[in-house]
Amino acid sequence: CPCGSGKTHGECCGPFLSGEKKCLTPSDVLRSRYTAFTWRNIKYIMDTTHETCRDYREDRVAWANDLNKGGMFDSFTFVKLDPSKEEDGKNENESFIEFKVTLRANEDRGGSVAGQETIISE
């Protein structure tokens, strides 16, 4: 699986991306979204972006076009995901996970991006 779990896609992120299984942990969300980015699964990325996220857009067609043409897909190759510690949020529906994503710029600039994913269950 592209997320680096050491499992096959079918044993790991595949059931999340196909809708057979729901993400239950911050790690599930992070790994499955990383895999969706590596495989250009735009629908999954949009479906798993909470409306309070800065990347969320009501106009899904424009959003999909931006992701596909001018966004992460054409600008970077996803090299590696390094998830770190998970933390509980304010209630049972909120969690946080720290991570580092290594990307290779398609213009050979390279580098990595660190961040924190906020998981909100509804």
Side-chain angles (χ1 to χ4, degrees), residues 2 7 25 30 65 82 84 94 96 98 108-109 117-118:
K7 299 177 185 175
T25 68
L30 178 65
N65 287 334
D82 290 312
S84 189
E94 181 181 72
F96 301 92
E98 292 181 16
D108 294 327
R109 287 179 291 179
E117 183 82 11
T118 301

Side-chain angles (χ1 to χ4, degrees), residues 33-44:
R33 284 178 54 85
Y34 176 85
T35 297
F37 271 103
T38 64
W39 287 358
R40 296 177 86 121
N41 187 329
I42 294 169
K43 183 179 181 324
Y44 187 81

Side-chain angles (χ1 to χ4, degrees), residues 49-108:
T49 301
H50 194 269
E51 60 192 29
T52 59
C53 177
R54 69 172 186 242
D55 297 328
Y56 182 85
R57 292 175 57 187
E58 287 289 332
D59 184 344
R60 289 175 65 92
V61 173
W63 185 10
N65 287 334
D66 286 348
L67 279 170
N68 195 38
K69 297 198 171 132
M72 296 293 291
F73 296 131
D74 290 337
S75 301
F76 298 96
T77 299
F78 291 77
V79 176
K80 184 178 179 186
L81 172 65
D82 290 312
S84 189
K85 68 178 184 174
E86 295 183 25
E87 293 181 19
D88 292 333
K90 298 174 190 169
N91 59 53
E92 63 194 33
N93 294 321
E94 181 181 72
S95 300
F96 301 92
I97 185 167
E98 292 181 16
F99 63 94
K100 178 179 174 184
V101 175
T102 302
L103 306 170
R104 182 172 40 256
N106 289 337
E107 296 176 1
D108 294 327

